[in-house]
Amino acid sequence: MKRFHWLLSTLAALVLVGACGKDNPVPTPQPDPDPTPVIPPESEPEKDPLALWGLKDLASACGLMIGTEFTYGEYSDDSLKVVMKRDFEAVTFGNEMKNDQIVTNAGQFNFTRADQMVGWAKECELKLFGHTLGWHSQQQNDYLVNKLVAGAADADEAAALVRDFHKKWVDAMVGHFDVYGWDVVNEVFIDSGAWRNKANSQLSNNYHVFFWGDYYPGGPKEFVDTAFRTAREALEREGKSAILYINDYNLEGGWAHGKLEALCQYAEGNPDVTGVGSQMHTSGDLYSPSEMKNMLERMVKTGKKVRISELDVASGKKMSQADVILDVFKQYLDIVPEAQRGGITFWGVSDKNSWLGANKQPLLYNSQYLRKDAYLKLHAYLLERSGLNKK
Ligand code: XIL
């Protein structure tokens, strides 16, 4: 048996030697039929979506511009700068483009502070929104407009002086600032849908209040018509373009359907109006998803740009802040066609600087500039909706 094995192996060795003769090249090594499994390259460390994308990247991938507000004093805070640059695409100044901040007692226009803020906005790569060319509040009335009226010989002259000053103001503002949109008028209706005037406004204070409509023969409507025409003509003269908004509050509240209807009908009837804005200072108790739907559908029907201009959401018992904010974004993206989206702007960054007071906690960041639950949920929602996490 052993001998037979020996014979076989000798024969095999001879065959092999022959096969490897100079006429027969050495066979190319064949792959091992049963290779040791290849160890996969170390999988990439889990990427943190919060570090990869700011809110503005995600919103923009969903076809939405997200903005915020800041005021002069806030900018000394380095945390604010980081957040502004990372999370927001656009900015509105809280006060610094308002009449009482720009107009001097002598009737001149002082742009120094606003210009400094324009520089900061550029530093943070933010687009600028103009707020506001027409409002009954925060105006230089104590000194200037009332003085014009008091110094006039009669009511007609007073009206002419006021109207002339309003035109100068609009021309100066539109000429000076480069913005993507203007609030041309703000809060010109009361909740019922009537034009606002001194008599029907329940103002909590009289802080620099002045009703321009009192000085137009056709009342507030003529003032608003004139404001839009003046703004449009100023843009044309300057070779600029900007969306011209009519802006108001309570439009998402079921108790102000009259105002929602009046504002939308006015916009539909005036081609100079190119956008409709809803402030949306709301809370978890006031907010109603069905009223939000109703508002957005009505605003979309105008055919104009639709903008949420001053969003803040105080915490409530009915709905959490996060749930309200998610619903606002979801409905806005579902209902407003991309071509009509004027964007969503928050009225501030950190709770500590909210005009409503830090205790209301209405913003996306807490007073230490830490991301709140609402931020995290909005980030996750926009990430999912944008699909950026799947690319
Ligand atoms: C607020 C500012 O945030 C405050 O700093 C200021 O004291 C009062 O005005 N609707 C508007 C905004 O259109 O201009 C208001 O801004 C908030 C309500």
Side-chain angles (χ1 to χ4, degrees):
M1 214 33 193
K2 253 190 190 159
R3 189 165 292 190
F4 179 68
H5 271 158
W6 175 86
L7 193 67
L8 270 183
S9 25
T10 313
L11 271 173
L14 282 174
V15 169
L16 203 62
V17 169
C20 294
K22 60 175 164 31
D23 294 330
N24 295 303
V26 181
T28 336
Q30 293 302 304
D32 189 334
D34 179 25
T36 325
V38 179
I39 299 164
E42 217 173 275
S43 57
E44 288 198 40
E46 195 57 29
K47 285 189 179 147
D48 177 7
L50 290 173
L52 281 179
W53 297 288
L55 287 177
K56 72 170 173 190
D57 307 314
L58 304 177
S60 154
C62 294
L64 169 67
M65 176 157 71
I66 187 167
T68 191
E69 169 264 11
F70 83 112
T71 56
Y72 189 79
E74 287 172 61
Y75 201 70
S76 51
D77 202 327
D78 286 338
S79 310
L80 178 86
K81 294 169 205 167
V82 172
V83 172
M84 297 283 271
K85 198 162 177 179
R86 179 185 62 208
D87 283 321
F88 300 103
E89 192 178 338
V91 74
T92 306
F93 300 159
N95 290 308
E96 293 76 6
M97 282 197 202
K98 289 175 181 170
N99 183 289
D100 68 349
Q101 302 258 329
I102 296 219
V103 179
T104 68
N105 293 357
Q108 306 296 312
F109 303 110
N110 181 352
F111 297 112
T112 315
R113 179 171 278 198
D115 283 349
Q116 200 173 349
M117 289 179 68
V118 171
W120 295 340
K122 278 200 187 120
E123 241 167 55
C124 297
E125 295 158 22
L126 294 156
K127 296 178 184 117
L128 194 60
F129 187 83
H131 176 77
T132 168
L133 295 177
W135 196 18
H136 57 271
S137 182
Q138 289 185 266
Q139 305 191 85
Q140 195 59 311
N141 68 316
D142 296 348
Y143 310 101
L144 186 72
V145 202
N146 280 337
K147 207 164 78 185
L148 286 179
V149 173
D154 55 28
D156 283 352
E157 191 187 323
L161 288 171
V162 168
R163 293 199 304 262
D164 181 54
F165 181 69
H166 179 258
K167 179 171 165 27
K168 269 201 196 116
W169 152 255
V170 172
D171 287 350
M173 292 293 282
V174 171
H176 189 80
F177 294 106
D178 291 325
V179 298
Y180 68 89
W182 279 109
D183 280 334
V184 176
V185 293
N186 189 31
E187 306 181 354
V188 291
F189 296 105
I190 59 168
D191 286 354
S192 68
W195 291 104
R196 184 186 291 279
N197 58 39
K198 216 177 288 173
N200 66 17
S201 273
Q202 293 121 34
L203 297 166
S204 52
N205 60 36
N206 274 341
Y207 176 56
H208 283 189
V209 172
F210 184 87
F211 288 85
W212 297 87
D214 293 350
Y215 300 92
Y216 286 75
K221 178 173 184 304
E222 190 187 345
F223 160 63
V224 177
D225 291 345
T226 312
F228 275 99
R229 194 183 57 248
T230 310
R232 196 241 313 138
E233 286 171 358
L235 283 174
E236 283 165 6
R237 219 174 22 253
E238 300 282 343
K240 296 181 178 180
S241 73
I243 303 157
L244 299 180
Y245 282 93
I246 180 166
N247 192 51
D248 219 311
Y249 66 100
N250 282 353
L251 300 178
E252 78 290 355
W255 65 91
H257 284 162
K259 182 192 272 193
L260 174 65
E261 195 48 41
L263 181 138
C264 290
Q265 277 184 21
Y266 179 80
E268 284 161 351
N270 184 347
D272 291 338
V273 181
T274 47
V276 284
S278 172
Q279 294 183 8
M280 289 204 65
H281 299 289
T282 185
S283 78
D285 291 328
L286 288 176
Y287 184 77
S288 147
S290 60
E291 291 297 345
M292 178 72 186
K293 179 170 185 282
N294 177 61
M295 176 191 84
L296 288 175
E297 285 174 351
R298 181 65 188 93
M299 289 171 90
V300 164
K301 227 175 91 190
T302 63
K304 316 276 173 171
K305 292 266 188 195
V306 175
R307 176 166 187 264
I308 307 297
S309 53
E310 305 179 12
L311 181 65
D312 48 25
V313 184
S315 31
K317 293 198 183 82
K318 236 175 65 190
M319 281 176 87
S320 72
Q321 185 205 29
D323 287 348
V324 173
I325 290 177
L326 277 192
D327 193 68
V328 169
F329 273 74
K330 182 177 184 314
Q331 294 215 53
Y332 184 89
L333 288 168
D334 286 348
I335 296 173
V336 185
E338 194 164 344
Q340 268 182 274
R341 289 185 197 149
I344 298 183
T345 281
F346 283 89
W347 206 241
V349 177
S350 152
D351 284 342
K352 79 168 173 179
N353 292 317
S354 166
W355 74 300
L356 299 172
N359 61 324
K360 289 269 168 51
Q361 305 178 0
L363 297 168
L364 293 175
Y365 279 84
N366 74 8
S367 291
Q368 286 74 47
Y369 281 98
L370 296 174
R371 299 171 174 101
K372 290 164 59 180
D373 194 42
Y375 179 104
L376 298 174
K377 288 192 170 141
L378 178 60
H379 193 280
Y381 174 73
L382 292 173
L383 179 58
E384 198 53 38
R385 184 158 183 146
S386 69
L388 280 182
N389 53 347
K390 289 168 198 121
K391 281 177 188 154

